[in-house]
Amino acid sequence: MSENLIWHHVTVTRQKRAAQNGHKSAVLWFTGLSGSGKSTIAHAVEEQLFHIGCHTVVLDGDNVRHGLCADLGFSVQNRSENIRRIGEATKLFVEAGLITLTAFISPFCADRDKVRELFVAGDYLEVYCRCTLDCCEQRDIKGFYQRARAGEIKEFTGISSPYEVPNDPELILDTDQLTVDECVQKVILLLRKQGVIPSD
Ligand code: ADP
Protein backbone atom coordinates (compact mmCIF):
# COMPACT_ATOMS: atom_id res chain seq x y z
CA MET A 1 0.00 0.00 0.00
CA SER A 2 2.66 2.50 1.02
CA GLU A 3 5.35 1.70 -1.56
CA ASN A 4 4.35 4.55 -3.91
CA LEU A 5 4.31 7.17 -1.18
CA ILE A 6 7.10 9.69 -0.76
CA TRP A 7 7.41 11.73 2.41
CA HIS A 8 7.55 15.45 1.87
CA HIS A 9 10.60 17.04 3.41
CA VAL A 10 9.70 18.82 6.64
CA THR A 11 11.10 22.34 6.97
CA VAL A 12 9.21 23.42 10.09
CA THR A 13 10.75 20.84 12.39
CA ARG A 14 9.78 19.81 15.89
CA GLN A 15 12.87 21.60 17.15
CA LYS A 16 11.76 24.86 15.55
CA ARG A 17 8.26 24.45 16.94
CA ALA A 18 9.65 23.76 20.42
CA ALA A 19 11.84 26.87 20.23
CA GLN A 20 8.85 28.99 19.22
CA ASN A 21 6.51 27.43 21.80
CA GLY A 22 8.97 27.60 24.69
CA HIS A 23 8.41 23.93 25.51
CA LYS A 24 8.88 20.51 23.94
CA SER A 25 6.13 18.11 22.95
CA ALA A 26 5.38 14.64 24.31
CA VAL A 27 2.47 12.39 25.12
CA LEU A 28 1.18 11.79 28.62
CA TRP A 29 -0.54 8.44 28.19
CA PHE A 30 -2.96 7.96 31.11
CA THR A 31 -4.08 4.38 31.65
CA GLY A 32 -6.24 2.77 34.33
CA LEU A 33 -9.67 1.39 35.12
CA SER A 34 -12.83 3.29 34.28
CA GLY A 35 -13.29 5.83 37.06
CA SER A 36 -9.64 5.75 38.10
CA GLY A 37 -9.27 9.45 37.29
CA LYS A 38 -7.64 9.58 33.86
CA SER A 39 -9.92 12.25 32.35
CA THR A 40 -10.13 14.31 35.52
CA ILE A 41 -6.35 14.48 35.88
CA ALA A 42 -5.65 14.92 32.15
CA HIS A 43 -7.98 17.92 31.94
CA ALA A 44 -6.69 19.39 35.21
CA VAL A 45 -3.08 19.06 34.00
CA GLU A 46 -4.06 20.64 30.68
CA GLU A 47 -5.61 23.57 32.50
CA GLN A 48 -2.44 24.16 34.47
CA LEU A 49 -0.29 23.88 31.33
CA PHE A 50 -2.60 26.25 29.44
CA HIS A 51 -2.25 28.72 32.31
CA ILE A 52 1.52 28.81 31.84
CA GLY A 53 1.20 29.20 28.06
CA CYS A 54 1.76 25.64 26.84
CA HIS A 55 0.17 24.21 23.69
CA THR A 56 -1.85 21.12 24.53
CA VAL A 57 -4.61 18.77 23.42
CA VAL A 58 -6.59 16.14 25.33
CA LEU A 59 -7.85 13.02 23.59
CA ASP A 60 -10.36 10.99 25.52
CA GLY A 61 -13.07 8.43 24.96
CA ASP A 62 -15.76 10.95 24.14
CA ASN A 63 -13.98 12.83 21.38
CA VAL A 64 -12.51 9.69 19.81
CA ARG A 65 -15.22 7.03 20.14
CA HIS A 66 -17.75 9.37 18.46
CA GLY A 67 -15.47 10.17 15.52
CA LEU A 68 -12.14 8.61 14.60
CA CYS A 69 -13.15 5.26 16.11
CA ALA A 70 -16.94 5.41 15.79
CA ASP A 71 -16.93 2.13 13.88
CA LEU A 72 -15.21 0.18 16.68
CA GLY A 73 -16.68 -1.79 19.57
CA PHE A 74 -15.10 -3.27 22.68
CA SER A 75 -13.87 -6.69 21.56
CA VAL A 76 -10.17 -7.37 22.11
CA GLN A 77 -9.49 -6.75 18.40
CA ASN A 78 -11.50 -3.54 18.29
CA ARG A 79 -9.87 -2.25 21.48
CA SER A 80 -6.46 -2.87 19.92
CA GLU A 81 -7.42 -1.04 16.74
CA ASN A 82 -8.85 1.80 18.84
CA ILE A 83 -5.54 2.23 20.64
CA ARG A 84 -3.53 1.88 17.41
CA ARG A 85 -5.45 4.72 15.78
CA ILE A 86 -5.19 6.89 18.86
CA GLY A 87 -1.44 6.20 18.95
CA GLU A 88 -1.05 7.31 15.33
CA ALA A 89 -3.18 10.42 15.89
CA THR A 90 -1.16 11.19 19.01
CA LYS A 91 2.07 10.96 17.03
CA LEU A 92 0.77 13.61 14.61
CA PHE A 93 -0.12 15.92 17.50
CA VAL A 94 3.30 15.43 19.08
CA GLU A 95 4.96 16.17 15.73
CA ALA A 96 2.86 19.34 15.63
CA GLY A 97 4.46 20.46 18.90
CA LEU A 98 1.61 19.77 21.30
CA ILE A 99 1.80 18.27 24.76
CA THR A 100 -0.78 15.57 24.12
CA LEU A 101 -2.74 14.03 26.99
CA THR A 102 -4.66 10.83 26.33
CA ALA A 103 -7.21 9.31 28.68
CA PHE A 104 -8.09 5.78 27.62
CA ILE A 105 -8.41 2.64 29.71
CA SER A 106 -5.99 1.02 27.24
CA PRO A 107 -6.12 -2.25 29.20
CA PHE A 108 -3.60 -4.34 27.27
CA CYS A 109 0.17 -4.07 27.71
CA ALA A 110 0.87 -5.13 24.12
CA ASP A 111 -1.29 -2.31 22.72
CA ARG A 112 0.34 0.29 24.98
CA ASP A 113 3.80 -1.01 24.08
CA LYS A 114 3.03 -0.68 20.37
CA VAL A 115 2.16 2.97 20.94
CA ARG A 116 5.36 3.45 22.95
CA GLU A 117 7.32 2.05 19.99
CA LEU A 118 5.96 4.83 17.75
CA PHE A 119 7.95 7.35 19.77
CA VAL A 120 11.58 8.00 20.57
CA ALA A 121 12.58 7.51 24.20
CA GLY A 122 11.27 10.26 26.43
CA ASP A 123 8.40 11.29 24.16
CA TYR A 124 5.99 8.68 25.51
CA LEU A 125 5.25 9.06 29.20
CA GLU A 126 2.95 6.42 30.64
CA VAL A 127 0.95 7.48 33.68
CA TYR A 128 -0.78 4.68 35.53
CA CYS A 129 -3.83 5.85 37.48
CA ARG A 130 -3.78 3.17 40.16
CA CYS A 131 -7.06 2.77 41.97
CA THR A 132 -8.70 -0.28 43.44
CA LEU A 133 -11.65 -1.77 41.60
CA ASP A 134 -13.65 -1.28 44.81
CA CYS A 135 -12.96 2.43 44.80
CA CYS A 136 -13.75 2.79 41.08
CA GLU A 137 -16.96 0.87 41.60
CA GLN A 138 -17.97 3.03 44.52
CA ARG A 139 -17.35 6.17 42.47
CA ASP A 140 -19.24 4.69 39.49
CA ILE A 141 -19.73 8.19 38.13
CA LYS A 142 -21.16 6.98 34.84
CA GLY A 143 -23.13 4.07 36.30
CA PHE A 144 -21.19 1.67 34.08
CA TYR A 145 -20.08 -0.69 36.87
CA GLN A 146 -23.63 -1.23 38.06
CA ARG A 147 -24.71 -2.00 34.50
CA ALA A 148 -21.71 -4.26 33.95
CA ARG A 149 -22.46 -6.19 37.18
CA ALA A 150 -26.04 -6.57 35.97
CA GLY A 151 -24.73 -8.04 32.72
CA GLU A 152 -26.03 -5.12 30.65
CA ILE A 153 -22.54 -4.16 29.43
CA LYS A 154 -20.43 -6.98 28.08
CA GLU A 155 -16.62 -7.07 28.19
CA PHE A 156 -16.33 -4.33 30.77
CA THR A 157 -12.76 -3.81 31.97
CA GLY A 158 -12.26 -4.96 35.56
CA ILE A 159 -15.52 -6.94 35.60
CA SER A 160 -15.70 -9.14 32.53
CA SER A 161 -12.58 -8.09 30.62
CA PRO A 162 -9.02 -7.90 32.00
CA TYR A 163 -6.92 -4.87 32.85
CA GLU A 164 -3.18 -5.52 32.54
CA VAL A 165 -1.22 -3.43 35.01
CA PRO A 166 1.65 -1.46 33.39
CA ASN A 167 5.07 -3.06 33.91
CA ASP A 168 7.22 0.04 33.91
CA PRO A 169 5.20 3.25 33.74
CA GLU A 170 6.97 6.61 33.98
CA LEU A 171 4.59 7.60 36.80
CA ILE A 172 2.13 5.89 39.14
CA LEU A 173 -0.65 7.96 40.67
CA ASP A 174 -2.51 6.39 43.58
CA THR A 175 -5.74 8.17 42.83
CA ASP A 176 -7.58 6.49 45.70
CA GLN A 177 -5.17 8.07 48.17
CA LEU A 178 -4.12 11.39 46.64
CA THR A 179 -6.18 14.47 45.82
CA VAL A 180 -6.62 15.53 42.21
CA ASP A 181 -4.34 18.48 42.86
CA GLU A 182 -1.58 16.27 44.29
CA CYS A 183 -1.80 14.07 41.20
CA VAL A 184 -1.60 17.12 38.93
CA GLN A 185 1.52 18.37 40.70
CA LYS A 186 3.21 14.98 40.25
CA VAL A 187 2.49 15.06 36.52
CA ILE A 188 3.81 18.62 36.18
CA LEU A 189 6.95 17.55 38.05
CA LEU A 190 7.41 14.65 35.63
CA LEU A 191 7.17 17.04 32.66
CA ARG A 192 9.82 19.27 34.28
CA LYS A 193 12.10 16.32 35.07
CA GLN A 194 11.83 15.09 31.48
CA GLY A 195 12.63 18.56 30.17
CA VAL A 196 9.32 18.86 28.32
CA ILE A 197 8.51 22.10 30.11
CA PRO A 198 11.13 24.38 31.63
CA SER A 199 11.86 24.25 35.36
CA ASP A 200 10.76 27.25 37.42
P1 ADP B 1 -11.69 7.89 34.11
O1 ADP B 1 -11.39 8.94 33.10
O2 ADP B 1 -10.47 7.14 34.54
O3 ADP B 1 -12.82 6.98 33.72
P2 ADP B 1 -12.83 10.04 35.62
O4 ADP B 1 -11.76 11.09 35.61
O5 ADP B 1 -13.94 10.21 34.61
O6 ADP B 1 -12.17 8.61 35.45
O7 ADP B 1 -13.49 9.92 37.05
C1 ADP B 1 -12.73 9.86 38.24
C2 ADP B 1 -13.60 10.30 39.43
O8 ADP B 1 -12.84 10.16 40.63
C3 ADP B 1 -14.01 11.77 39.33
O9 ADP B 1 -15.33 11.90 39.84
C4 ADP B 1 -13.01 12.47 40.27
O10 ADP B 1 -13.53 13.66 40.82
C5 ADP B 1 -12.79 11.41 41.35
N1 ADP B 1 -11.46 11.49 42.03
C6 ADP B 1 -11.26 11.48 43.36
N2 ADP B 1 -9.95 11.55 43.68
C7 ADP B 1 -9.30 11.61 42.49
C8 ADP B 1 -7.91 11.70 42.15
N3 ADP B 1 -6.94 11.75 43.06
N4 ADP B 1 -7.60 11.73 40.84
C9 ADP B 1 -8.58 11.66 39.89
N5 ADP B 1 -9.89 11.59 40.15
C10 ADP B 1 -10.27 11.56 41.44
Side-chain angles (χ1 to χ4, degrees), residues 30-43 60 103-105 129 131 135-136 139-142 144-145 173-184:
F30 292 88
T31 174
L33 294 171
S34 177
S36 62
K38 303 177 295 297
S39 296
T40 302
I41 299 167
H43 285 283
D60 66 22
F104 299 93
I105 299 173
C129 294
C131 187
C135 178
C136 292
R139 288 177 181 167
D140 207 8
I141 41 170
K142 297 171 191 158
F144 286 161
Y145 282 99
L173 299 173
D174 286 307
T175 65
D176 49 6
Q177 290 162 41
L178 301 168
T179 65
V180 173
D181 197 48
E182 285 168 335
C183 293
V184 170

Coordinates of all heavy atoms in Angstrom, one line a residue, residues 30-43 60 103-105 129 131 135-136 139-142 144-145 173-184, ligand 1:
F30 N -2.3 8.4 29.9 CA -3.0 8.0 31.1 C -3.6 6.6 30.9 O -4.4 6.5 29.9 CB -4.0 9.0 31.6 CG -3.4 10.3 32.0 CD1 -3.1 11.3 31.1 CD2 -3.0 10.5 33.4 CE1 -2.6 12.5 31.5 CE2 -2.5 11.7 33.8 CZ -2.2 12.7 32.9
T31 N -3.4 5.7 31.8 CA -4.1 4.4 31.7 C -4.6 4.0 33.0 O -4.0 4.3 34.1 CB -3.1 3.3 31.1 OG1 -3.8 2.0 31.1 CG2 -1.8 3.2 31.8
G32 N -5.7 3.2 33.1 CA -6.2 2.8 34.3 C -7.7 2.4 34.1 O -8.3 2.6 33.1
L33 N -8.3 1.8 35.2 CA -9.7 1.4 35.1 C -10.6 2.6 34.9 O -10.2 3.7 35.1 CB -10.1 0.7 36.5 CG -9.4 -0.6 36.8 CD1 -9.7 -1.0 38.3 CD2 -9.8 -1.7 35.9
S34 N -11.8 2.3 34.4 CA -12.8 3.3 34.3 C -13.1 3.9 35.7 O -13.2 3.1 36.6 CB -14.1 2.7 33.7 OG -15.1 3.6 33.7
G35 N -13.1 5.2 35.8 CA -13.3 5.8 37.1 C -12.0 6.0 37.9 O -12.1 6.5 39.0
S36 N -10.9 5.6 37.3 CA -9.6 5.8 38.1 C -9.1 7.2 38.1 O -8.2 7.5 38.8 CB -8.6 4.8 37.6 OG -8.3 5.1 36.2
G37 N -9.7 8.0 37.2 CA -9.3 9.5 37.3 C -8.5 10.0 36.1 O -8.0 11.1 36.1
K38 N -8.4 9.2 35.0 CA -7.6 9.6 33.9 C -8.1 10.9 33.3 O -7.3 11.8 33.1 CB -7.7 8.5 32.8 CG -7.3 7.1 33.2 CD -7.5 6.1 32.1 CE -8.9 5.8 31.7 NZ -9.8 5.2 32.7
S39 N -9.4 11.0 33.0 CA -9.9 12.2 32.3 C -9.8 13.4 33.3 O -9.4 14.5 32.9 CB -11.4 12.1 32.0 OG -11.5 11.1 31.0
T40 N -10.2 13.2 34.5 CA -10.1 14.3 35.5 C -8.7 14.9 35.6 O -8.5 16.1 35.5 CB -10.6 13.8 36.9 OG1 -11.9 13.2 36.8 CG2 -10.6 14.9 38.0
I41 N -7.7 14.0 35.7 CA -6.4 14.5 35.9 C -5.8 15.1 34.6 O -5.2 16.1 34.6 CB -5.4 13.3 36.4 CG1 -5.9 12.9 37.8 CG2 -4.0 13.8 36.5 CD1 -5.3 11.6 38.2
A42 N -6.1 14.4 33.4 CA -5.7 14.9 32.2 C -6.2 16.3 31.9 O -5.4 17.2 31.5 CB -6.1 14.0 31.0
H43 N -7.4 16.6 32.2 CA -8.0 17.9 31.9 C -7.4 18.9 33.0 O -7.2 20.1 32.6 CB -9.5 17.9 32.0 CG -10.1 17.3 30.7 ND1 -10.2 18.0 29.5 CD2 -10.6 16.0 30.5 CE1 -10.7 17.2 28.6 NE2 -10.9 16.0 29.1
D60 N -9.8 12.0 24.6 CA -10.4 11.0 25.5 C -11.5 10.3 24.8 O -11.8 10.5 23.7 CB -10.8 11.6 26.9 CG -11.9 12.6 26.7 OD1 -12.6 12.5 25.7 OD2 -12.1 13.4 27.6
A103 N -6.5 9.9 27.5 CA -7.2 9.3 28.7 C -8.1 8.1 28.2 O -9.2 8.3 27.9 CB -8.1 10.4 29.4
F104 N -7.4 7.0 28.1 CA -8.1 5.8 27.6 C -7.7 4.6 28.6 O -6.6 4.6 29.0 CB -7.7 5.4 26.2 CG -8.0 6.5 25.2 CD1 -7.1 7.5 24.9 CD2 -9.3 6.6 24.6 CE1 -7.4 8.5 24.0 CE2 -9.6 7.6 23.8 CZ -8.7 8.6 23.5
I105 N -8.7 3.8 28.8 CA -8.4 2.6 29.7 C -7.2 1.9 29.2 O -6.3 1.6 30.0 CB -9.6 1.7 29.8 CG1 -10.9 2.4 30.3 CG2 -9.3 0.5 30.7 CD1 -12.1 1.6 30.3
C129 N -2.9 5.4 36.4 CA -3.8 5.8 37.5 C -4.2 4.6 38.3 O -5.1 3.8 37.8 CB -5.0 6.6 36.9 SG -4.6 8.1 36.1
C131 N -5.9 2.6 41.1 CA -7.1 2.8 42.0 C -7.7 1.4 42.1 O -7.9 0.7 41.1 CB -8.0 3.8 41.3 SG -9.4 4.3 42.3
C135 N -12.8 1.0 44.8 CA -13.0 2.4 44.8 C -13.6 2.9 43.5 O -14.5 3.8 43.5 CB -11.6 3.1 45.0 SG -11.6 4.8 45.0
C136 N -13.2 2.4 42.4 CA -13.8 2.8 41.1 C -15.2 2.5 41.0 O -16.1 3.2 40.6 CB -13.1 2.1 39.9 SG -11.4 2.6 39.7
R139 N -17.2 4.9 43.2 CA -17.4 6.2 42.5 C -18.4 6.0 41.4 O -19.3 6.8 41.3 CB -16.1 6.6 41.8 CG -15.0 7.0 42.8 CD -13.7 7.3 42.0 NE -12.6 7.8 42.9 CZ -11.4 7.8 42.5 NH1 -11.0 7.5 41.3 NH2 -10.4 8.2 43.4
D140 N -18.3 5.0 40.6 CA -19.2 4.7 39.5 C -19.9 5.9 38.9 O -21.2 5.9 38.8 CB -20.3 3.6 39.9 CG -20.8 2.8 38.8 OD1 -20.2 2.9 37.6 OD2 -21.7 2.0 38.9
I141 N -19.1 6.9 38.5 CA -19.7 8.2 38.1 C -20.6 8.1 36.9 O -21.5 8.9 36.7 CB -18.6 9.3 37.9 CG1 -17.4 8.7 37.2 CG2 -18.3 10.0 39.2 CD1 -16.4 9.7 36.8
K142 N -20.3 7.1 36.1 CA -21.2 7.0 34.8 C -22.2 5.8 35.0 O -22.9 5.6 34.0 CB -20.3 6.7 33.6 CG -19.3 7.9 33.3 CD -18.3 7.5 32.3 CE -17.2 8.6 32.2 NZ -16.0 8.1 31.6
F144 N -21.6 2.8 34.9 CA -21.2 1.7 34.1 C -21.0 0.4 34.9 O -21.3 -0.7 34.4 CB -19.9 2.0 33.3 CG -20.1 3.0 32.2 CD1 -19.0 3.6 31.7 CD2 -21.3 3.2 31.6 CE1 -19.1 4.5 30.6 CE2 -21.5 4.1 30.6 CZ -20.4 4.8 30.1
Y145 N -20.4 0.5 36.1 CA -20.1 -0.7 36.9 C -21.4 -1.4 37.3 O -21.5 -2.6 37.2 CB -19.2 -0.3 38.1 CG -17.8 -0.1 37.8 CD1 -17.3 1.2 37.6 CD2 -16.9 -1.2 37.6 CE1 -16.0 1.4 37.3 CE2 -15.6 -1.0 37.2 CZ -15.1 0.3 37.1 OH -13.8 0.5 36.8
L173 N 0.1 7.1 39.8 CA -0.6 8.0 40.7 C -1.6 7.1 41.4 O -2.5 6.4 40.8 CB -1.4 9.0 39.8 CG -0.6 9.9 38.9 CD1 -1.5 10.7 38.0 CD2 0.3 10.8 39.8
D174 N -1.5 7.1 42.8 CA -2.5 6.4 43.6 C -3.7 7.3 43.8 O -3.8 8.0 44.8 CB -1.9 6.0 44.9 CG -0.9 4.8 44.7 OD1 -1.3 3.8 44.1 OD2 0.3 5.0 45.1
T175 N -4.6 7.2 42.8 CA -5.7 8.2 42.8 C -6.8 7.9 43.9 O -7.7 8.7 44.1 CB -6.4 8.2 41.4 OG1 -7.0 6.9 41.2 CG2 -5.4 8.5 40.3
D176 N -6.7 6.7 44.6 CA -7.6 6.5 45.7 C -7.0 7.0 47.0 O -7.6 6.9 48.1 CB -8.0 5.0 45.8 CG -6.8 4.1 45.7 OD1 -5.6 4.6 45.7 OD2 -7.0 2.8 45.7
Q177 N -5.8 7.5 46.9 CA -5.2 8.1 48.2 C -4.8 9.6 48.1 O -4.7 10.3 49.1 CB -3.9 7.3 48.5 CG -4.2 5.8 49.0 CD -3.0 4.9 48.9 OE1 -1.9 5.4 49.2 NE2 -3.2 3.7 48.4
L178 N -4.5 10.0 46.8 CA -4.1 11.4 46.6 C -5.3 12.2 46.2 O -6.3 11.7 45.7 CB -3.0 11.4 45.6 CG -1.8 10.6 45.8 CD1 -0.9 10.5 44.5 CD2 -1.0 11.3 46.9
T179 N -5.2 13.6 46.4 CA -6.2 14.5 45.8 C -5.9 14.7 44.3 O -4.7 14.4 43.9 CB -6.2 15.8 46.5 OG1 -4.9 16.5 46.2 CG2 -6.3 15.7 48.0
V180 N -6.8 15.2 43.6 CA -6.6 15.5 42.2 C -5.4 16.5 42.1 O -4.5 16.3 41.2 CB -7.9 16.1 41.6 CG1 -7.6 16.6 40.1 CG2 -9.0 15.1 41.6
D181 N -5.4 17.5 42.9 CA -4.3 18.5 42.9 C -3.0 17.9 43.1 O -2.0 18.2 42.4 CB -4.6 19.6 43.9 CG -3.8 20.8 43.5 OD1 -3.8 21.2 42.3 OD2 -3.1 21.4 44.4
E182 N -2.9 16.9 44.0 CA -1.6 16.3 44.3 C -1.1 15.5 43.1 O 0.0 15.5 42.7 CB -1.7 15.3 45.5 CG -1.7 16.1 46.8 CD -2.1 15.2 48.0 OE1 -2.8 14.2 47.8 OE2 -1.7 15.6 49.2
C183 N -2.1 14.8 42.4 CA -1.8 14.1 41.2 C -1.3 15.0 40.1 O -0.3 14.7 39.4 CB -3.0 13.3 40.7 SG -3.6 12.0 41.8
V184 N -2.0 16.1 40.0 CA -1.6 17.1 38.9 C -0.2 17.6 39.2 O 0.6 17.6 38.2 CB -2.6 18.3 38.9 CG1 -2.1 19.5 38.0 CG2 -4.0 17.9 38.5
Ligands
ADP1 P1 -11.7 7.9 34.1 O1 -11.4 8.9 33.1 O2 -10.5 7.1 34.5 O3 -12.8 7.0 33.7 P2 -12.8 10.0 35.6 O4 -11.8 11.1 35.6 O5 -13.9 10.2 34.6 O6 -12.2 8.6 35.4 O7 -13.5 9.9 37.0 C1 -12.7 9.9 38.2 C2 -13.6 10.3 39.4 O8 -12.8 10.2 40.6 C3 -14.0 11.8 39.3 O9 -15.3 11.9 39.8 C4 -13.0 12.5 40.3 O10 -13.5 13.7 40.8 C5 -12.8 11.4 41.4 N1 -11.5 11.5 42.0 C6 -11.3 11.5 43.4 N2 -10.0 11.6 43.7 C7 -9.3 11.6 42.5 C8 -7.9 11.7 42.2 N3 -6.9 11.7 43.1 N4 -7.6 11.7 40.8 C9 -8.6 11.7 39.9 N5 -9.9 11.6 40.2 C10 -10.3 11.6 41.4

